[in-house]
Amino acid sequence: MVQLDERKKSILKAVVDDYIATAEPVGSKSLVTRYHFNVSSATVRNEMAELEEMGYLEQPHTSAGRIPSDKGYRAYVDSLLSVEDLSEEAADRIRHYFQESIDELTGLIRKASTVLSEQTGYTSVALSPHLKRSHLSQIKILMIEPGRALVVVVLSAGVVKDRLVRIPEILDAEQLMRIANAIEDQLSGMTLDDITLVTVATAAKQTTLPESLLNQVLYEAYVSIKQADNLEVYMEGSHNLLSYPEFYDVKKAREYLKTLTATGMIAGYMSELRDNADPGDEMQNDESVRDQSEPPDKHLILQLPEKRYGNSQEDDRRNPAYTVRIGQEIMLEGLRDCSFITTTYKMGDFVAGRIGVIGPKRMAYGKVISHISFVKKTLNDQITHLSKGKSRTEGK
Amino acid sequence: MVQLDERKKSILKAVVDDYIATAEPVGSKSLVTRYHFNVSSATVRNEMAELEEMGYLEQPHTSAGRIPSDKGYRAYVDSLLSVEDLSEEAADRIRHYFQESIDELTGLIRKASTVLSEQTGYTSVALSPHLKRSHLSQIKILMIEPGRALVVVVLSAGVVKDRLVRIPEILDAEQLMRIANAIEDQLSGMTLDDITLVTVATAAKQTTLPESLLNQVLYEAYVSIKQADNLEVYMEGSHNLLSYPEFYDVKKAREYLKTLTATGMIAGYMSELRDNADPGDEMQNDESVRDQSEPPDKHLILQLPEKRYGNSQEDDRRNPAYTVRIGQEIMLEGLRDCSFITTTYKMGDFVAGRIGVIGPKRMAYGKVISHISFVKKTLNDQITHLSKGKSRTEGK
DNA sequence: AATTAGCACTCTTAATGCATGAGTGCTAAA
DNA sequence: TTTAGCACTCATGCATTAAGAGTGCTAATT
């Protein structure tokens, strides 16, 4: 981006904007007329040729217009895009979704996902919180019927998970409770990561039950604890992308859907993402990004219908609360023509889970970013609200 | 179907078979050559014209081949189709899926759904059991932290559901237990349908707690009990149908996906289905169905590559264990070009839930029916296996 | 009376040619 | 450095054509 003068930036931005709006390769002539450049099409043509040379644009075939390359989108997102704050109506619409109070964390996360897909018109994904580093707070073993029990695991964050298990038929409710209490006494406060089959077994040593009976229960308790941080994925609006021309090719659409529904694929990918990771290329030079806020000099010949450059959202850009992955940057087959915008939500003090929006590369980045930012905020609020009083049990 | 002589039946069957295989309108000439009829194409042509007259076939346009109408498919499914038993390899493949033992009912149902979609190549749906008529067996209220509790509801069938709720902060674990015990003492054995807010409130009268405190807990307990029979839908392989030419039109594909993912749509539809419901039209005459088993007379000019008429599967037909809905019979927009084959699975003694396969009308009915029948059987076995020992708690 | 051969006709599909127009790159003038 | 101008390219749309698969109908055959 360092190499791009103002005019090139304007042109690149215009090309991306136009292509996002129309899905048609954009040519020099229509650019000039539609965006009221005060230079001739020939000049724009030359600039576009250079932009192509530099890798920001590409041509589907000779004598067609240009479309942005992944690098072009990247530059657009990193330094050309103006992210507006969400309009009051849109914010209200989102708040409205969250109005009916929900008492389960999963319900909230689901809702966030629904909101995102419905309000953006793309596909949304949400990941249940990552709980590896949370502590065991309680464990109960509830007798269901001889031979079957329900293990309930409560984590520090107030998250509750349970699991039906098979146990020796001779055990009664009283004995199960004693085992659970022993485990709870010894292990509560430990992080899930630190708990092993050995620690569980040791914890239950003090109970007077014969080992042969204990073993199966302990194993199930252990598995239940370990599974408490199982990732869950919520997805909404996967059909939405079929409205966009890039998926008119059914083969592509199928690949895309297959990738989305393949169990674990998206979850695995999302859980490995890191926020603020500089998508390593020459764009990372922050100076050039800041350039934007300079007053437009006489070279900035583009007169945008509405100018939104260089003001408050610069803060967002300096400390982006979201991650954007574009096209090939997403390492999943079937999502090659997509972009993936994600952000995290918090539970208590540390980063918990992730929500995201998947759309065509040609997606309305500004709109999605403002929506996802707002949903993130709302979700965080709701979660705090949900677990108020939580601190009292924490660490037990 | 009464009106159809053997030759018409043969021809209709051949047309449907061919169209299912090729997705191309089938003409008289290719029918004669491909299926080794020993009559001329002209004769077949006349018969096809009559079949069209009668409503079993239709023409996409003049001078094209014929394709089956919904009525044609209906006749095919009701009396022309030969359902083979599942091959041993296919059966093994299914058994293999169920090999790893699963301790949760939902896990089993999920698995059944996965198997069906993967083995048939279509979309599968499974509904969690319908529990309205099962009894409340246990209810526990577990303190999670001051102000929050987990209500665990155990039903007669051994099904366990739970729900996080908010409660007055002053209540302690001891009090919650007393409330739960009171409810359990009074209401266990009642069907979910019979339990009302009033019965719950009455049950808890004997506890010595002040009403103001009780009310919120009772309400939450009531809701938890009522929600224990919430239907859940599991769907698998929704992308599969995109492989079939009838969905090459992206618009259709989108409608289809939208209908599938619309919450409640499929669940509502499936839960209203009744097995063995005669799809009221002139086909219901059982005599004609039986005709099939008669030795082919000299009019049966069709020599099928492999004949499977008139033997064991006649029993299946007399007492079909599955329901087939074809095209317009499915009253869901977006599934107009689909067929929907469902069957039920049992839990204990009575019908519990439903599993089904959605494919194009042009689906391989025989294959799907044999698969779904086998999965049904396997699922029933697994469920019985799961809740052996159940009877001991039943009725409590 | 049922079957079939034959024929004229219909309609889709694929291939071809052609005109149009939006786009390009390049050159030479401003 | 910018721009006007021009030749060139290529996708798109449209009309035409030929082939092929299918039909319905009639008259001959069994």
Side-chain angles (χ1 to χ4, degrees):
Chain A
M1 206 59 180
V2 203
Q3 328 92 312
L4 296 190
D5 57 38
E6 286 307 317
R7 191 166 68 192
K8 282 211 180 56
K9 286 186 191 173
S10 310
I11 290 174
L12 180 53
K13 174 158 167 40
V15 171
V16 178
D17 278 338
D18 201 69
Y19 186 64
I20 286 177
T22 66
E24 298 288 330
V26 11
S28 52
K29 209 163 185 174
S30 59
L31 249 201
V32 172
T33 59
R34 238 185 306 227
Y35 291 82
H36 307 103
F37 282 87
N38 44 26
V39 293
S40 76
S41 69
T43 310
V44 174
R45 201 142 61 233
N46 290 332
E47 294 281 44
M48 285 170 85
E50 279 183 64
L51 280 167
E52 182 174 3
E53 186 96 344
M54 294 162 125
Y56 293 102
L57 297 179
E58 45 197 38
Q59 252 178 323
H61 54 84
T62 15
S63 87
R66 304 303 209 294
I67 63 175
S69 65
D70 282 9
K71 186 175 169 183
Y73 281 116
R74 173 49 64 196
Y76 176 82
V77 168
D78 282 349
S79 37
L80 302 177
L81 178 63
S82 46
V83 180
E84 318 117 56
D85 275 342
L86 206 55
S87 76
E88 204 43 42
E89 306 94 84
D92 270 346
R93 243 174 291 144
I94 293 178
R95 284 193 206 101
H96 183 258
Y97 273 88
F98 282 98
Q99 219 159 39
E100 46 159 334
S101 74
I102 306 164
D103 277 332
E104 307 243 18
L105 180 64
T106 54
L108 278 178
I109 297 166
R110 269 213 170 89
K111 192 122 279 187
S113 180
T114 312
V115 167
L116 270 180
S117 102
E118 289 190 6
Q119 294 303 312
T120 61
Y122 301 116
T123 304
S124 74
V125 202
L127 232 59
S128 65
H130 192 66
L131 298 166
K132 278 233 179 320
R133 265 174 297 160
S134 52
H135 314 265
L136 178 67
S137 167
Q138 298 180 48
I139 180 168
K140 305 269 179 237
I141 306 179
L142 226 63
M143 184 79 165
I144 298 300
E145 62 191 17
R148 298 211 308 152
L150 183 75
V151 182
V152 180
V153 175
V154 184
L155 302 181
S156 55
V159 179
V160 181
K161 302 267 181 159
D162 52 48
R163 187 167 161 266
L164 269 174
V165 300
R166 221 166 259 292
I167 51 164
E169 301 221 351
I170 354 166
L171 286 170
D172 60 27
E174 166 64 25
Q175 292 167 312
L176 290 177
M177 209 190 336
R178 263 194 290 146
I179 299 175
N181 284 343
I183 300 176
E184 188 176 311
D185 281 348
Q186 297 293 312
L187 303 188
S188 78
M190 283 179 79
T191 68
L192 293 189
D193 259 351
D194 292 339
I195 295 176
T196 64
L197 190 46
V198 177
T199 53
V200 174
T202 322
K205 270 239 173 77
Q206 38 174 299
T207 62
T208 53
L209 294 166
E211 266 200 34
S212 60
L213 277 183
L214 258 178
N215 279 341
Q216 197 181 341
V217 181
L218 290 182
Y219 178 72
E220 296 294 1
Y222 164 73
V223 173
S224 302
I225 293 172
K226 279 303 183 185
Q227 286 194 0
D229 72 341
N230 263 359
L231 278 185
E232 276 172 280
V233 196
Y234 307 96
M235 188 172 299
E236 211 70 44
S238 53
H239 62 273
N240 277 346
L241 292 213
L242 296 198
S243 317
Y244 300 98
E246 26 273 277
F247 292 96
Y248 280 2
D249 176 9
V250 186
K251 215 163 166 51
K252 264 191 197 166
R254 187 162 178 275
E255 275 314 304
Y256 157 74
L257 276 173
K258 212 168 152 189
T259 308
L260 283 194
T261 51
T263 31
M265 208 116 180
I266 295 289
Y269 180 74
M270 278 180 90
S271 62
E272 277 173 16
L273 280 173
R274 291 281 162 275
D275 264 336
N276 301 337
D278 279 302
D281 72 2
E282 66 270 43
M283 303 293 166
Q284 45 188 225
N285 185 331
D286 233 7
E287 287 308 320
S288 67
V289 174
R290 231 43 70 54
D291 280 347
Q292 294 257 298
S293 54
E294 284 174 10
D297 65 9
K298 64 169 189 271
H299 283 165
L300 185 58
I301 43 171
L302 169 62
Q303 269 127 38
L304 287 168
E306 5 172 31
K307 301 186 72 213
R308 290 220 190 71
Y309 271 1
N311 41 29
S312 71
Q313 71 277 0
E314 203 200 358
D315 306 325
D316 291 334
R317 211 177 291 128
R318 209 172 281 154
N319 181 19
Y322 47 84
T323 304
V324 182
R325 282 290 128 87
I326 296 164
Q328 306 282 348
E329 296 170 12
I330 310 174
M331 297 304 289
L332 296 177
E333 190 61 54
L335 264 52
R336 286 289 153 85
D337 294 324
C338 294
S339 280
F340 198 170
I341 304 185
T342 62
T343 189
T344 55
Y345 60 87
K346 282 200 282 188
M347 238 174 80
D349 297 329
F350 55 93
V351 163
R354 229 163 233 288
I355 51 177
V357 172
I358 304 175
K361 283 199 290 198
R362 199 179 58 74
M363 80 166 34
Y365 291 94
K367 180 183 174 188
V368 171
I369 290 172
S370 54
H371 272 81
I372 210 174
S373 302
F374 189 80
V375 169
K376 170 206 183 102
K377 252 181 265 167
T378 313
L379 183 57
N380 279 339
D381 289 351
Q382 295 278 328
I383 291 178
T384 321
H385 191 257
L386 187 74
S387 59
K388 74 177 171 197
K390 166 188 62 65
S391 55
R392 258 170 278 183
T393 50
E394 205 159 34
K396 199 177 169 152
Chain B
M1 205 59 180
V2 202
Q3 328 91 312
L4 295 190
D5 57 37
E6 286 305 318
R7 191 168 67 190
K8 282 211 180 54
K9 285 186 191 174
S10 309
I11 290 174
L12 179 53
K13 176 160 167 38
V15 171
V16 178
D17 278 338
D18 201 68
Y19 186 64
I20 285 177
T22 65
E24 297 288 329
V26 10
S28 52
K29 208 163 186 174
S30 59
L31 249 200
V32 171
T33 59
R34 239 187 305 229
Y35 290 82
H36 307 102
F37 282 86
N38 43 27
V39 293
S40 77
S41 69
T43 309
V44 175
R45 201 143 58 235
N46 290 331
E47 294 281 44
M48 285 170 84
E50 278 183 63
L51 281 167
E52 184 175 1
E53 185 96 346
M54 294 163 126
Y56 293 101
L57 296 178
E58 46 198 37
Q59 252 179 324
H61 53 86
T62 15
S63 88
R66 302 306 209 292
I67 62 174
S69 66
D70 282 9
K71 186 176 169 183
Y73 281 117
R74 172 51 63 196
Y76 176 83
V77 168
D78 282 349
S79 37
L80 303 175
L81 179 64
S82 47
V83 180
E84 318 118 55
D85 274 342
L86 207 56
S87 76
E88 203 43 42
E89 306 95 84
D92 270 347
R93 244 174 291 142
I94 292 178
R95 284 193 207 100
H96 183 258
Y97 273 88
F98 282 98
Q99 219 158 39
E100 46 160 333
S101 73
I102 306 164
D103 278 331
E104 307 243 18
L105 180 65
T106 53
L108 279 177
I109 297 167
R110 268 212 169 88
K111 192 123 278 187
S113 180
T114 312
V115 168
L116 270 181
S117 103
E118 288 189 7
Q119 294 303 312
T120 61
Y122 301 117
T123 304
S124 73
V125 202
L127 231 58
S128 64
H130 192 66
L131 299 166
K132 277 235 181 317
R133 264 174 297 161
S134 52
H135 313 266
L136 177 67
S137 168
Q138 297 180 49
I139 180 168
K140 305 266 178 239
I141 306 179
L142 226 64
M143 184 78 165
I144 298 301
E145 62 189 19
R148 298 214 305 151
L150 184 75
V151 181
V152 181
V153 175
V154 184
L155 301 182
S156 55
V159 179
V160 180
K161 301 269 179 154
D162 51 46
R163 188 166 160 267
L164 269 173
V165 300
R166 220 166 259 293
I167 50 164
E169 302 221 350
I170 353 165
L171 286 170
D172 60 27
E174 166 64 23
Q175 292 168 312
L176 290 177
M177 207 186 343
R178 263 195 291 148
I179 299 175
N181 284 343
I183 299 176
E184 189 177 313
D185 281 347
Q186 296 294 312
L187 304 186
S188 78
M190 283 178 79
T191 67
L192 293 189
D193 259 352
D194 291 340
I195 296 176
T196 65
L197 191 47
V198 177
T199 54
V200 174
T202 321
K205 271 240 172 78
Q206 38 175 301
T207 61
T208 54
L209 293 167
E211 266 201 34
S212 60
L213 277 183
L214 259 179
N215 278 342
Q216 196 180 341
V217 181
L218 290 182
Y219 177 73
E220 296 294 359
Y222 165 74
V223 173
S224 302
I225 293 173
K226 279 303 182 185
Q227 286 195 358
D229 72 342
N230 262 0
L231 277 184
E232 276 172 278
V233 195
Y234 308 96
M235 188 173 298
E236 211 70 43
S238 53
H239 62 272
N240 276 346
L241 293 212
L242 296 198
S243 315
Y244 301 98
E246 26 274 275
F247 293 95
Y248 280 3
D249 176 9
V250 186
K251 212 156 169 55
K252 264 191 197 166
R254 186 160 179 273
E255 274 314 302
Y256 157 74
L257 276 173
K258 212 169 154 189
T259 307
L260 283 193
T261 51
T263 32
M265 208 116 181
I266 295 288
Y269 180 74
M270 279 180 90
S271 61
E272 277 172 16
L273 280 172
R274 291 281 163 274
D275 264 337
N276 301 338
D278 279 302
D281 71 4
E282 66 271 39
M283 303 292 167
Q284 43 186 226
N285 184 332
D286 233 9
E287 288 308 320
S288 68
V289 175
R290 227 51 61 57
D291 279 347
Q292 294 256 297
S293 56
E294 285 174 10
D297 64 11
K298 64 173 190 270
H299 283 165
L300 185 58
I301 44 171
L302 168 63
Q303 270 126 39
L304 286 168
E306 9 173 29
K307 300 186 73 220
R308 289 219 191 72
Y309 272 1
N311 41 30
S312 72
Q313 70 279 0
E314 205 200 356
D315 305 326
D316 291 334
R317 214 176 289 128
R318 207 171 285 155
N319 180 19
Y322 48 83
T323 303
V324 182
R325 282 289 129 88
I326 297 164
Q328 305 283 350
E329 297 171 11
I330 311 174
M331 297 302 291
L332 295 177
E333 189 62 53
L335 264 53
R336 287 288 152 87
D337 294 325
C338 294
S339 281
F340 198 170
I341 303 184
T342 63
T343 190
T344 55
Y345 59 86
K346 283 201 280 189
M347 239 175 79
D349 298 329
F350 56 94
V351 163
R354 228 163 234 288
I355 51 176
V357 172
I358 304 175
K361 282 199 291 196
R362 199 180 58 72
M363 81 166 31
Y365 290 94
K367 180 183 173 188
V368 171
I369 289 172
S370 55
H371 272 81
I372 210 174
S373 302
F374 190 81
V375 168
K376 170 204 183 103
K377 251 181 266 169
T378 314
L379 183 56
N380 279 339
D381 289 352
Q382 295 279 327
I383 290 178
T384 320
H385 191 256
L386 187 74
S387 59
K388 75 178 170 197
K390 167 189 62 64
S391 55
R392 260 170 279 182
T393 49
E394 206 160 32
K396 199 174 169 162

